[in-house]
Amino acid sequence: MESITGKESLRELLVDWRRSGDHIALVPTMGNLHDGHMSLIALARQHAERIVVSVFVNPTQFAAGEDFAEYPRTLQRDARRLKQAKVDVMFAPDVDAIYPYGLESATTVHVPFLTNELCGASRPGHFDGVTSVVSRLLCLVQPDVVLFGQKDYQQQAIIRRMVTDLCMPIEVVTGPTQRDPDGLALSSRNQYLSDSERAAAPTLYAALKEVGEALETGSEDYTGLEAAALATLKAAGFQADYLSIRRADGLGPPGRDSDELVVLAAAWLGKTRLIDNIVVHI
Ligand code: AMP
């Protein structure tokens, strides 16, 4: 595996690969790799001969007061894992390579669709940071396919919209959420949890599943189900930002004609913000 920090060295390698007709997959990450990231790499292998994993803790998607400074950075360990997984390139640029004109005057890619609701409502500007960095990574790598996790359901929906709207000739693939045995979705932020918070954390997935089961058995009382799940979270010590039942496609409000819904939630346990979702077929 090559570990690359510079844009030029990356470009040279990509030219060679394209010349030999290899397809290229990109898996964007913020590092501190866990089995969720690794599952996307395994999925990437089904789509391309060459895999680039970017590791970049993107400052523009963190608001002031969020955990940018504390976010776990474990580049050497990540490199070892990626090498074992036979990834071709770990691309770990520094901030100047991605934002050469500085953060204040950086060009921003804004997707109006969905970016102010759900996580966008509690994290203003977050998705502008995400689309601004992902569009740069897509320009740099020009992959045939880019992979994202279902755990960040809203993120992959917004990126799909951006890729279509900007006519990027790139396939977007979403991989399933990987979980600990007790149901907690894997996340780099799980390590912020204290022992007692970690014990309470699986309630988030349990609450989503309870809503999912009610929907599957025909309930259409969306507001009632949301309120009951929020009460479950509160009783377990969470402070919820939202818990919402939406259409899986487009994330609009559910209606009688919806056959695929998604139940999404974001909730705090102490200082840790957890997100999760489940897709429900009805
Ligand atoms: P992050 O490093 O947290 O920005 O995540 C990088 C990519 O990994 C994103 O596309 C996430 O959706 C995905 N991801 C994070 N956690 C999981 C998980 N538990 N299962 C599957 N994919 C995940």
Side-chain angles (χ1 to χ4, degrees):
M1 185 191 74
E2 302 231 24
S3 180
I4 293 181
T5 53
K7 291 183 280 190
E8 271 316 309
S9 345
L10 178 68
R11 279 195 190 107
E12 283 165 21
L13 209 69
L14 294 168
V15 167
D16 285 347
W17 291 351
R18 278 198 201 93
R19 226 179 255 140
S20 14
D22 288 348
H23 296 95
I24 301 168
L26 170 66
V27 182
T29 81
M30 296 206 297
N32 191 240
L33 301 178
H34 52 63
D35 287 349
H37 300 112
M38 301 317 283
S39 72
L40 293 180
I41 292 165
L43 189 56
R45 220 168 268 306
Q46 298 173 20
H47 292 267
E49 293 81 28
R50 300 288 188 176
I51 302 177
V52 178
V53 175
S54 60
V55 175
F56 181 65
V57 185
N58 172 37
T60 64
Q61 69 190 70
F62 292 80
E66 290 190 347
D67 58 339
F68 175 68
E70 297 85 64
Y71 198 86
R73 290 156 171 89
T74 51
L75 198 60
Q76 288 190 357
R77 190 172 67 88
D78 293 346
R80 284 198 295 275
R81 272 199 100 162
L82 295 177
K83 193 173 167 195
Q84 271 169 8
K86 300 200 168 19
V87 161
D88 294 276
V89 165
M90 176 177 83
F91 178 54
D94 61 23
V95 173
D96 293 346
I98 297 296
Y99 298 106
Y101 297 107
L103 298 178
E104 289 305 313
S105 55
T107 300
T108 301
V109 176
H110 173 66
V111 177
F113 168 76
L114 271 180
T115 42
N116 294 326
E117 359 176 349
L118 301 170
C119 281
S122 12
R123 302 186 69 189
H126 168 67
F127 287 115
D128 283 357
V130 170
T131 47
S132 295
V133 75
V134 170
S135 53
R136 283 166 169 78
L137 292 168
L138 294 177
C139 285
L140 275 165
V141 178
Q142 298 181 27
D144 299 280
V145 53
V146 63
L147 294 99
F148 293 94
Q150 187 198 316
K151 203 204 92 190
D152 298 83
Y153 195 93
Q154 186 178 6
Q155 168 173 278
Q156 58 84 42
I158 290 168
I159 286 165
R160 282 175 185 279
R161 174 63 69 106
M162 176 186 81
V163 164
T164 305
D165 214 9
L166 296 182
C167 311
M168 295 175 168
I170 300 169
E171 184 188 354
V172 180
V173 170
T174 304
T177 303
Q178 305 299 310
R179 302 177 179 281
D180 272 336
D182 61 7
L184 178 64
L186 298 181
S187 165
S188 305
R189 291 191 168 101
N190 292 351
Q191 58 197 268
Y192 300 158
L193 297 168
S194 68
D195 289 349
S196 61
E197 288 164 351
R198 176 63 189 79
T203 303
L204 180 56
Y205 181 50
L208 294 173
K209 276 207 307 195
E210 211 164 298
V211 176
E213 280 156 21
L215 293 169
E216 274 165 0
T217 52
S219 173
E220 291 180 356
D221 178 15
Y222 306 121
T223 318
L225 292 174
E226 288 168 356
L230 284 166
T232 303
L233 290 178
K234 193 168 179 203
F238 283 89
Q239 272 203 308
D241 277 347
Y242 65 84
L243 185 143
S244 186
I245 303 168
R246 300 286 179 109
R247 287 173 194 264
D249 184 18
L251 291 174
R256 292 192 160 247
D257 60 332
S258 337
D259 55 6
E260 219 184 12
L261 299 175
V262 57
V263 192
L264 312 106
W268 293 83
L269 265 179
K271 292 194 165 97
T272 308
R273 186 175 185 273
L274 300 177
I275 61 170
D276 202 350
N277 66 83
I278 56 164
V279 172
V280 184
H281 303 272
I282 50 175

